[in-house]
Amino acid sequence: MMKSKADEEDFWHSSKCKPFTFDDEDDEFSKLKESKQTVNNIRPLVDEDEDDDDVEKVSWSGEPVGSISWSVRETAASNQRTDREPTLPKSSTDTPAISRSLSGYSLSALFKGKTRGGNFQSFTDSLSDSSARLYAPELRKPKSEYKDFVSDWSPEETVHRMQQGKAVSLEKFRSLQDKLFLLDFAVSANDGNVITAVLIYLKRTLSKEVLFRELQSRQMALRHFIHYLTEIRDQRLLLELFRALGRTEDVALLQYKEHLSIADENKRRDFLKSCLNLPFSPEDSAHVQDHYTLLERQIIIEATDRQAERGGKVEIFQKFPRRASILNMPLITTLYYCCFYHYPESEGTYSSPLNIRQTFRISEKQYFVTALAARAKVKAWLDVDALFACRNWLGFTRKKSPLSFQRVVDILQKNSAPMQVLQEYVGLVDDSDLRISLAQKHKCHDIVINTYRDMKDRQLLLGYLPKVERGSVEEKKINELLNNLQIRWKN
Amino acid sequence: MAAHLSYGRVNLNILREAARRELREFLDKCAGSKAIVWDEYLTGPFGLIAQYSLLKEHEVEKMFTLKSGRLPSADVKNIIFFVRPRLELMDIIAENVFSEDKLHSSRDFHILFVPRRSMLCEQRLKEQGVLGSFINIDEYILDLIPYDGDLLSMEYESAFRECYLENDQTSLYHTAKGLMTLQALYGTIPQIYGKGECARHVANMMLRMKREFAGSQNQILPVFDTLLLLDRNVDLLTPLATQLTYEGLIDEIYGINNGYVKLPPEKFAQKKQGESSKDLPTEPKKLQLNSAEELYAEIRDKNFNAVGAALSKKAKIISAAFEERHNAKTVGEIKQFVSQLPHMQAARSSLANHTSIAELIKDITNDVEISFPVSASESFFDNLTVEQEFMTGVDTDKVNTYIEDSIAQKDPLIKILRLVCMQSVCNNGLKQKVFDYYRREILQTYGYEHLLTLNNLEKAGLLKPQTNSRNNYPTIRKTLKLWMEDANEQNPNDISYVYSGYAPLSIRLTQVLARPGWRSIEEVLKMLPGPHFEERQQLPAGLHKKRQQGENRTTLVFFLGGVTYAEIAALRFLSQMEDSGMEYIIATTKLINGTSWIKSLMDRPESQTP
């Protein structure tokens, strides 16, 4: 805040006269007294030894009996069975209706209920008529209602009083300059509560253009204003503010966020479409476009599939009834769904996995994992096999995978692939230690036996003998190997 | 019950007592029988201050949880709402009050705002037409809650989000206020150091508030010598790493909330013969964790790999103590043995509990070579390996295969975000290609709406593309010795044991400040965000401490935006080091771990926010 010295003098001078002081204490003095009081109140406590919860009882759930969250449940429960509710002893001794004299305290404390510093006053006990009711500082009361205690507080004093929770009227700050002084003092006091109160007043009494302009040079106040608008969910004004500030990406994201509160899928889709032109960053813009395209497709797929399922003519839906709608699911989940129900479709359809892969630029690995899991789930082992097919230039097929074969086995096993299938992929694991432990786990005896044979490890092979079934082919094979004199065992 | 608060270097029970007294005074102000309607969130923090018995003494007969609709019936004179100043809660209160009036009831209504009243809320009540129904509207200033003998927490969950994402500094105002209260009780803190924008802001507010109180000299001999204010965003790395102390792991795996943890019950069942497994409890076992429990205080800050040994040592001691009964021959000896029984029983049940917890954790973390099925433990181990690679600067500029695979397996999103953020932080931002790749994979797998979350993480500086500036993390790591090979987990000689190799940056800064001073690391301080500063507060003559030879100094370290249990363990380790000459008391806005922290930054649909 920049002011010339003379201005400042003027300003202070004008606020010097206090025609009617509601608070009859000097502010500085009262503050001092309060802080001292706080400290004094607190000190003797250390010696007080009245804590009777030394012995802690613990309920099964481990929560100490008598802890607050335990008691909330208990007392609430006892409330439901009122018939046999044990009445708590009402002690008449420990709640004396302290009837302190009011004289020591400013009248304005009535509007607050307590003076500053945490020293509560029990004034309500001493006053029983309705006039003792408490009113918070009211910001919107017409001026006439305030005539009893309107006073000429300076902006600074006003802020002080607000900080102390005392009644004030902001209505008398009429000129823009006054209002801004008020705001600046509130900001320099750092009390968010007061800043917000002033902002509410400014929002009501200033035009948007002026308010936005002034806030631009007052970052702290601006942040509180944004927070305030977020709190009261005034989306419209918030968007206007962001636009005025040129914070275009914030505008875009804020608007985009709205889609989450739209339940109807068609409305949501249309809303997302309207978001496409928002000023996102280039990367985000592509993602939002994808989001829209995805929902658009999901709506089409959902409608078609629901019908197909009801019709009862499509085998796959009979065999594996759909558990949930595909609407609003993530892209990869959608891909899985399509690999599950629409795998053989040509690239031309919306629900074709290949089409989805293309449209959304899904990485090879992601596509592979998803298709593998889905095809394994429907036990289409030929499809699984085909995923790995790779012809080299001589025309031989060889199994290749963007994924380690260990992971492949893992995925297949999770989808309860039969032994023959598992065995094939376990055999493709390169690392022999890993291969053996995988084979042992999945009881692929052949692989274990062959690996030990290749390692020329007689001891291990011998050790494996008890793990295969008596009289089985595997047992026979091991015995044959052990008796084979042509193998040069290393041990 | 709160005795453990007074054992430490600084008697934090004073603070708790002050808070209890205020509560009593407010309750007495509402004369007659009462029912309290709780904002459920507050019951946890309040539990650290008071028990139901205190409330009952002041005629609180019923307690309910705040819910919309009609208030449960209760034959009481006063209904008191204990709530945080949040608009949506005001709407519920208004609904409660409205349905009440129709019921010809003559109950009086009061509101107690925690920790501050808010004009915004009062205005909302007024708009709803119920403001006039309240006899008392008050505030209960609960800024710093004593959490343990050396630990204060504001339990202000959203502080980091508000400060670094929404630029809302309300929590900092509360912090400054809390520190003023603390100084009123424990004396003016003569020296203030700080690092970070928020730290600077808090220090400014404190100095300003002190000026406003000028004239009222605080006549208390200062308990704290130094205050160190640290912004969480100065050290974004530490909370992302998996904590490896006992307490840290309990928090990582099960989550410690307001000093309590909920555990799966199976391992806690006392097996009786002939009991079928059907009778086993299904409700989670809830345990309170703090230094009041001797054994817990002993083991909580150890690296988990050292906990097993400590537990078995303790078991031997306890069983030896029980064996003593055979030696008790005379009546006097027997009497003495019996008198020790309660203590021994408590020690035994404490040992049983922690053995069970250690077992639970072991099941998850167990060091496996190649064991199958692909289990939680393997994933824990792999996860840790990747974290350590990032922290030592290995391949942080490439797409990480483990992260890629974890996304393909649809592991929990938060796990992915923790790792990706860590990689970004350790690389001073990701290469644009890597950044784009991760973002696309995450959005495709978990849903496009997470775009909002990703943008939040970017704003907070956790997940960002690399700008032109070069990666200065290696320099920081080397200068501050953030990575220590062969960290000794059993008998630590350096704070790096808390993460089995990684020494938390925040604690290194604290350590260097004590000795040899920040001047030695000016270069690094400049690389970290925000200003660093030093302020002095004048003490009245006569309050200057005359230090005894060899007497330790006391520093209050305040973490703005949260602190992890492992960081606390590291500070406790420094306090206990013989030659450190410094004792640390810790204060924070909230106790956090990587998961709770990232969660607080995520964007959820409006409908889901409480």
Side-chain angles (χ1 to χ4, degrees), chain B residues 585-605:
Chain B
I585 304 290
I586 303 127
T588 183
T589 46
K590 175 77 187 165
L591 290 144
I592 57 167
N593 60 46
T595 302
S596 64
W597 190 41
I598 296 283
K599 217 183 221 163
S600 78
L601 290 170
M602 288 176 76
D603 223 306
R604 288 164 295 254

Side-chain angles (χ1 to χ4, degrees), chain A residues 28 31-32 35 39 41-43 45-46 50-54 56 60-64 66-68 71-72 75-76 79 85 88 90-91 94-95 112-114 116 118 120-122 124-125 133-134 136 138 140 162-163 188-191 193 196-197 200 220 223-224 227-228 231-233 250 253 256-257 259-260 283-284 287-288 290-291 294 330-333 360-363 365-366 406-407 410 434 437-438 441, chain B residues 1 14 16-18 20-22 24-25 28-29 31 38 43 46 50-53 56-57 59 61-65 72-73 87 117-120 122-123 126 132-139 166-170 173 177 184-185 201 205 208 212-213 215-216 260 281 283 285-286 288 370 372-374 401 404-405 407-410 436-437 439-441 443-449 451-452 455 459 603 605-606:
Chain A
E28 286 305 309
K31 240 188 284 171
L32 193 155
S35 68
V39 176
N41 282 343
I42 289 163
R43 293 302 291 173
L45 278 164
V46 194
E50 45 163 336
D51 214 342
D52 60 352
D53 32 36
D54 269 326
E56 197 182 342
W60 158 253
S61 67
E63 222 162 315
S67 77
I68 285 174
S71 312
V72 172
T75 59
N79 198 48
E85 174 197 333
L88 290 161
K90 276 192 195 177
S91 75
D94 58 359
T95 49
K112 177 65 187 353
K114 86 189 203 27
R116 205 151 163 257
F120 294 95
Q121 306 308 323
S122 51
T124 39
D125 297 321
R133 294 220 157 189
L134 207 54
E138 299 190 3
R140 280 189 181 170
M162 287 169 88
Q163 269 189 290
S188 65
N190 281 308
D191 187 333
N193 199 15
T196 308
I200 294 173
M220 172 112 162
R223 293 194 292 247
H224 276 276
H227 186 68
Y228 164 67
E231 276 278 292
I232 62 164
R233 311 222 173 125
D250 285 322
L253 286 169
Y256 169 74
K257 189 176 175 176
H259 85 265
L260 291 167
E283 298 80 29
D284 287 356
H287 293 311
V288 174
D290 281 353
H291 190 174
L294 177 63
L331 174 62
I332 297 298
T333 312
F360 295 96
R361 305 171 307 282
I362 295 171
S363 70
K365 216 170 181 176
Q366 277 275 29
Q406 185 195 347
R407 284 282 319 280
D410 191 40
L434 200 58
S437 64
L438 272 171
K441 182 193 157 209
Chain B
M1 146 80 221
I14 298 176
R16 183 172 182 267
E17 280 307 329
R20 287 165 69 90
R21 174 163 177 133
E22 281 211 10
R24 286 193 205 105
E25 281 177 358
D28 289 343
K29 204 156 84 177
W38 287 94
T43 57
F46 261 84
Q51 300 275 294
Y52 183 44
S53 57
K56 218 157 83 180
E57 279 165 29
E59 289 187 273
E61 297 182 358
K62 289 268 190 284
M63 305 220 274
F64 308 109
T65 320
S73 64
L87 289 178
R117 51 192 290 177
S118 123
M119 300 203 191
L120 204 52
E122 286 166 35
Q123 214 204 353
K126 189 167 180 256
S133 313
F134 292 96
I135 309 256
N136 276 311
I137 295 179
D138 236 315
E139 65 186 358
E166 289 157 4
N167 282 314
D168 174 358
Q169 292 162 337
T170 311
Y173 177 70
K177 281 278 191 187
L185 292 169
H201 194 62
M205 279 191 279
R208 190 192 149 94
E212 281 170 9
F213 281 102
S216 64
Y260 286 90
E283 234 183 90
K285 168 100 171 159
K286 204 169 168 186
Q288 190 171 22
I370 309 163
F372 290 94
V374 181
T401 324
E404 209 180 23
D405 287 352
I407 295 175
Q409 284 182 61
K410 230 178 166 185
D436 290 343
Y437 180 80
R439 277 172 62 104
R440 200 175 70 226
E441 292 280 296
L443 294 177
Q444 288 186 346
T445 307
Y446 298 92
Y448 287 104
E449 64 274 18
L451 191 62
L452 297 160
N455 275 289
K459 265 187 220 159
D603 223 306
E606 291 289 313

Side-chain angles (χ1 to χ4, degrees), chain B residues 31-285:
Chain B
S33 56
K34 326 169 178 38
I36 296 179
V37 183
W38 287 94
D39 168 358
E40 204 163 11
Y41 179 90
L42 289 175
T43 57
F46 261 84
L48 295 164
I49 297 295
Q51 300 275 294
Y52 183 44
S53 57
L54 180 143
L55 302 177
K56 218 157 83 180
E57 279 165 29
H58 295 263
E59 289 187 273
V60 175
E61 297 182 358
K62 289 268 190 284
M63 305 220 274
F64 308 109
T65 320
L66 183 64
K67 275 198 276 281
S68 53
R70 192 189 294 173
L71 284 169
S73 64
D75 186 20
V76 290
K77 186 162 180 302
N78 300 288
I79 301 278
I80 313 176
F81 295 94
F82 277 33
V83 288
R84 286 167 295 163
R86 300 179 67 140
L87 289 178
E88 62 274 16
L89 299 179
M90 298 307 112
D91 295 346
I92 299 177
I93 292 178
E95 211 182 318
N96 284 176
V97 173
F98 263 129
S99 45
E100 174 84 1
D101 276 343
K102 286 174 209 141
L103 278 166
H104 65 270
S105 150
S106 61
R107 300 195 281 193
D108 288 342
F109 291 106
H110 315 267
I111 296 187
L112 188 63
F113 282 114
V114 185
R116 287 280 186 288
R117 51 192 290 177
S118 123
M119 300 203 191
L120 204 52
C121 286
E122 286 166 35
Q123 214 204 353
R124 175 64 69 96
L125 289 173
K126 189 167 180 256
E127 280 163 16
Q128 300 268 21
V130 293
L131 188 65
S133 313
F134 292 96
I135 309 256
N136 276 311
I137 295 179
D138 236 315
E139 65 186 358
Y140 183 64
I141 305 170
L142 197 60
D143 285 327
L144 281 167
I145 307 168
Y147 206 92
D148 212 324
D150 57 355
L151 180 58
L152 299 159
S153 171
M154 294 169 71
E155 294 299 278
Y156 197 120
E157 207 152 25
S158 51
F160 185 85
R161 185 189 172 101
E162 287 176 13
C163 285
Y164 301 97
L165 202 58
E166 289 157 4
N167 282 314
D168 174 358
Q169 292 162 337
T170 311
S171 68
L172 299 180
Y173 177 70
H174 290 183
T175 304
K177 281 278 191 187
L179 282 165
M180 294 314 281
T181 311
L182 210 63
Q183 291 189 92
L185 292 169
Y186 298 98
T188 304
I189 306 174
Q191 261 185 322
I192 304 176
Y193 291 93
K195 171 71 186 165
E197 293 289 349
C198 295
R200 181 69 265 184
H201 194 62
V202 168
N204 287 348
M205 279 191 279
M206 284 174 69
L207 296 172
R208 190 192 149 94
M209 287 173 191
K210 185 165 187 279
R211 273 201 302 279
E212 281 170 9
F213 281 102
S216 64
Q217 292 272 4
N218 186 336
Q219 292 300 332
I220 298 167
L221 194 70
V223 173
F224 299 103
D225 300 284
T226 310
L227 166 67
L228 170 59
L229 296 160
L230 280 178
D231 275 32
R232 183 72 269 176
N233 84 335
V234 169
D235 173 12
L236 292 172
L237 174 55
T238 302
L240 293 170
T242 303
Q243 308 170 68
L244 295 176
T245 58
Y246 181 52
E247 189 167 43
L249 272 171
I250 296 177
D251 188 39
E252 293 279 347
I253 297 169
Y254 299 106
I256 301 175
N257 228 322
N258 304 124
Y260 286 90
V261 66
K262 281 183 186 165
L263 299 159
E266 302 84 34
K267 298 229 167 166
F268 294 92
Q270 281 158 3
K271 282 196 194 101
K272 286 179 196 141
Q273 280 185 334
E275 220 173 61
S276 75
S277 57
K278 260 185 289 179
D279 300 329
L280 288 177
T282 47
E283 234 183 90
K285 168 100 171 159

